[in-house]
Amino acid sequence: MIVPLPDLESLRVLGDWVALRLQPGDAVLLSGPLGAGKTALARAILRRLSGDAALEVPSPSFTLVQSYETRLGWVHHFDLWRLEGPQAVEELGWDELAQDIVLVEWPDRLGALRPAGALDIALGMLPGGARQAVLNGWESR
Ligand SMILES: Nc1ncnc2c1ncn2[C@@H]1O[C@H](COP(=O)(O)OP(=O)(O)OP(=O)(O)O)[C@@H](O)[C@H]1O
Ligand SMILES: [Mg+2]
């Protein structure tokens, strides 16, 4: 499924769509180039799940993972940009945290840790500054 994302409002609607279908244990993989909107989409999902439209969701690019308590339990928001590969991801506590919901920026770092059954959202930037998302997974939801 391809979703046009002309503005932040459309990203919020996509975030709501994902949040409505999320279940404990799920993984959402957010890929795409620098500035494509990965953090902004994670923010929209977390705001919907927490019921707080003003929830602070900073980019986890320095902390690597930020955790939030939501109506579906814990949600862990990762930014793996600075990590080299699966071993570094495991050292972050991946095996345990992935029992909860995980939202992952730069999921290519996961290698073999990439969860089966994940929702894969590839954000792309179009000429002129608009974006789009290509969704794969969750076909039955
Ligand atoms: N669909 C959109 N329409 C307009 N602005 C957007 C859209 N998506 C993201 N932005 C804006 O683009 C900027 C970068 O977004 P964001 O930080 O979410 O990107 P990112 O993919 O997480 O980048 P990084 O790779 O650095 O983590 C932010 O200012 C955000 O508000
Ligand atoms: Mg980001």
Side-chain angles (χ1 to χ4, degrees), residues 30-43 77 104-107 123:
L30 302 164
S31 60
L34 284 169
K38 302 179 293 296
T39 298
L41 181 54
R43 183 176 297 125
H77 177 197
V104 186
E105 300 185 41
W106 301 100
L123 292 161

Side-chain angles (χ1 to χ4, degrees), residues 124-132:
M125 299 172 84
L126 307 175
R131 277 97 160 166
Q132 70 174 23

Side-chain angles (χ1 to χ4, degrees), residues 35-141:
K38 302 179 293 296
T39 298
L41 181 54
R43 183 176 297 125
I45 295 168
L46 285 160
R47 285 180 171 173
R48 170 59 65 187
L49 289 180
S50 69
D52 177 357
L55 181 72
E56 283 283 339
V57 179
S59 171
S61 45
F62 291 99
T63 54
L64 306 181
V65 56
Q66 297 269 146
S67 298
Y68 301 83
E69 204 164 10
T70 76
R71 63 177 171 80
L72 294 180
W74 286 97
V75 179
H76 310 287
H77 177 197
F78 288 85
D79 185 328
L80 305 180
W81 166 249
R82 298 192 307 142
L83 297 187
E84 293 204 343
Q87 195 181 332
V89 179
E90 271 189 326
E91 284 162 11
L92 269 181
W94 173 263
D95 289 343
E96 200 177 332
L97 299 178
Q99 307 288 315
D100 303 321
I101 292 174
V102 293
L103 311 177
V104 186
E105 300 185 41
W106 301 100
D108 55 308
R109 288 2 178 215
L110 289 171
L113 295 176
R114 188 185 179 91
L119 175 64
D120 188 304
I121 303 182
L123 292 161
M125 299 172 84
L126 307 175
R131 277 97 160 166
Q132 70 174 23
V134 180
L135 273 64
N136 280 292
W138 289 9
E139 274 79 11
S140 59
R141 295 200 197 176

